[in-house]
Amino acid sequence: MPELPEVEYTARQMQESVVGETIDSVSVFWERTVSYPVLEDFQAEIAGRRIERVRRRAKLIVVDLSGGMLMTMHRRMTGNLLLLPSHWKVDTSLREADPTRWKVQGPRFTPDEVRPEDTDLLDYRQPFYCRTCFHFESGKLLLFNDLRKFGKLQLWPCEQEATLFAAFGPEPLDALFTPELLGVALAGRKTPIKQTLLQQEVVAGLGNIYADEALYYANIHPLRPAGSLSPDELYRLHEGIVAVLSSGIEHGGTSFSDYRDLQGRRGENANHLKVYQHQGESCVRCASPIERIVVGQRSTHFCPTCQLVLTDRSTIKAGGN
DNA sequence: CTATAAACCTGCTGGC
DNA sequence: TGCCAGCAGGTTTATA
């Protein structure tokens, strides 16, 4: 679920609220969440380090730590970060009381006393799939929650950064990302544009939701061969990518099911999507029913009228929107 | 190299 | 009501 806007929004919240915190220790409740280095080294190496900066690259949250290390956090499908105030404590009693439930749901967290600022957090008093808990010296807790356990945490020396990010394409919200650069990345590719946009080496950070929305914005059919786009279509697609990602960040991300922000709140961007999960509803531009097909094993939503297959709409005079 | 499928996990939905 | 197959926003790895 978390694509660029959700990761960017959370990284900005972390930059606001956890810079300066020192990590005292890390509790790991699902070992495979830590994918590098081995668990014992991860825990030993990260203890005592101070958080100096939090940023984003592609769909990774990057936490710069004192002493020349960085931690990457990838949320995959259902991963979320949650910051708990210092009067909240972890309760691991379920581990012995109900091992089966513990393995699936993880620990629970409870406040010493309920304070006014806890309003959005009260639902979290039941276990909610916490996989890793960072204990700060201030007493605050940073949780990595992940229902499906696909998310990954890694700790690397800063010198490794270039290698870690080598396979990522351009950042779509960076000024260096232009229609021309997009054209170069897509040139010669015969696979459907929808599939190609999901490849992180082409553009970093797009996922299934925003790829569909960007193609709708640009009036491009998802099955168009990626290398067949005209200069005008590349211009519109570039514009669409920037527009839908910016909108996603502005509205705090898209919360269809699992995504929550650092304070446990939902994002509002689902209210601003035009085609994703709108199959059968009327296109807001032409009123045709939105269709859903499968492209490269992924659900794909589009307007069959606005996004004409294998047609460059720039050649059609004064199109209907 | 491309392309498709399977794997990693749990919860939810829809069909029977 | 109950059970089970199938599906979900991501990425990597294997197989053809």
Side-chain angles (χ1 to χ4, degrees):
Chain A
M1 87 189 302
E3 305 180 29
L4 186 151
E6 292 74 30
V7 181
E8 176 68 25
Y9 192 77
T10 304
R12 288 182 189 178
Q13 289 185 312
M14 288 176 67
Q15 172 68 20
E16 292 290 311
S17 55
V18 303
V19 167
E21 297 282 355
T22 298
I23 299 169
D24 189 58
S25 63
V26 185
S27 302
V28 178
F29 307 113
W30 182 255
E31 296 194 2
R32 269 177 280 184
T33 297
V34 173
S35 70
Y36 187 89
V38 297
L39 180 58
E40 296 72 30
D41 293 347
F42 179 92
Q43 289 173 309
E45 273 295 323
I46 205 169
R49 292 183 192 270
R50 204 179 76 99
I51 296 176
E52 298 190 328
R53 185 184 170 205
V54 183
R55 57 203 164 100
R56 177 194 61 75
R57 175 72 171 108
K59 295 171 189 170
L60 289 172
I61 290 175
V62 182
V63 182
D64 291 312
L65 300 164
S66 59
M69 300 287 285
L70 63 80
M71 173 170 58
T72 61
M73 316 176 95
H74 200 307
R75 300 148 76 171
R76 298 285 179 95
M77 301 283 263
T78 58
N80 275 319
L81 287 137
L82 183 71
L83 185 64
L84 292 180
S86 57
H87 62 288
W88 283 67
K89 299 289 182 288
V90 58
D91 170 9
T92 59
S93 59
L94 205 58
R95 182 165 10 208
E96 295 77 29
D98 190 345
T100 307
R101 186 180 175 200
W102 165 269
K103 188 178 172 185
V104 174
Q105 298 187 336
R108 72 177 102 222
F109 292 82
T110 50
D112 293 338
E113 52 171 348
V114 176
R115 298 183 187 173
E117 66 264 31
D118 294 338
T119 308
D120 290 334
L121 298 171
L122 296 181
D123 288 346
Y124 290 96
R125 286 176 296 183
Q126 291 303 309
F128 51 92
Y129 315 104
C130 177
R131 306 307 177 197
T132 301
C133 173
F134 295 86
H135 302 260
F136 293 143
E137 284 183 357
S138 67
K140 291 181 184 174
L141 304 174
L142 177 66
L143 312 184
F144 186 77
N145 308 320
D146 185 17
L147 183 154
R148 287 174 73 179
K149 298 176 175 173
F150 291 170
K152 297 290 180 228
L153 306 180
Q154 301 188 347
L155 183 66
W156 292 93
C158 289
E159 305 84 69
Q160 296 296 314
E161 174 169 331
T163 312
L164 289 174
F165 302 161
F168 292 134
E171 279 293 330
L173 298 183
D174 192 295
L176 295 171
F177 178 62
T178 61
E180 293 72 29
L181 190 62
L182 180 61
V184 170
L186 299 178
R189 293 178 182 257
K190 294 171 186 167
T191 45
I193 183 64
K194 164 61 189 286
Q195 252 178 292
T196 309
L197 287 178
L198 297 179
Q199 297 192 237
Q200 301 298 297
E201 68 266 28
V202 173
V203 184
L206 280 178
N208 209 34
I209 296 175
Y210 295 96
D212 281 3
E213 294 294 321
L215 288 170
Y216 173 77
Y217 180 104
N219 281 340
I220 295 169
H221 194 285
L223 291 176
R224 285 282 299 283
S228 74
L229 303 189
S230 69
D232 185 58
E233 289 177 315
L234 288 170
Y235 182 86
R236 296 191 324 248
L237 181 55
H238 170 270
E239 190 174 76
I241 290 169
V242 173
V244 300
L245 294 177
S246 301
S247 170
I249 297 169
E250 187 183 329
H251 298 116
T254 301
S255 292
F256 264 117
S257 53
D258 302 279
Y259 169 71
R260 298 293 182 276
D261 73 8
L262 194 61
Q263 274 78 42
R265 293 186 289 248
R266 302 174 65 90
E268 297 300 324
N269 196 56
N271 300 322
H272 300 270
L273 300 180
K274 304 293 194 293
V275 287
Y276 185 79
Q277 287 284 298
H278 284 254
Q279 61 268 31
E281 299 173 24
S282 296
C283 169
V284 294
R285 295 195 296 231
C286 78
S288 298
I290 300 299
E291 286 185 13
R292 178 188 180 280
I293 59 176
V294 174
V295 181
Q297 338 298 132
R298 312 300 298 282
S299 70
T300 297
H301 312 75
F302 69 104
C303 171
T305 302
C306 294
Q307 296 166 270
L308 293 178
V309 66
L310 301 180
T311 301
D312 176 358
R313 278 178 66 91
S314 68
T315 64
I316 300 174
K317 286 199 93 154
N321 55 79

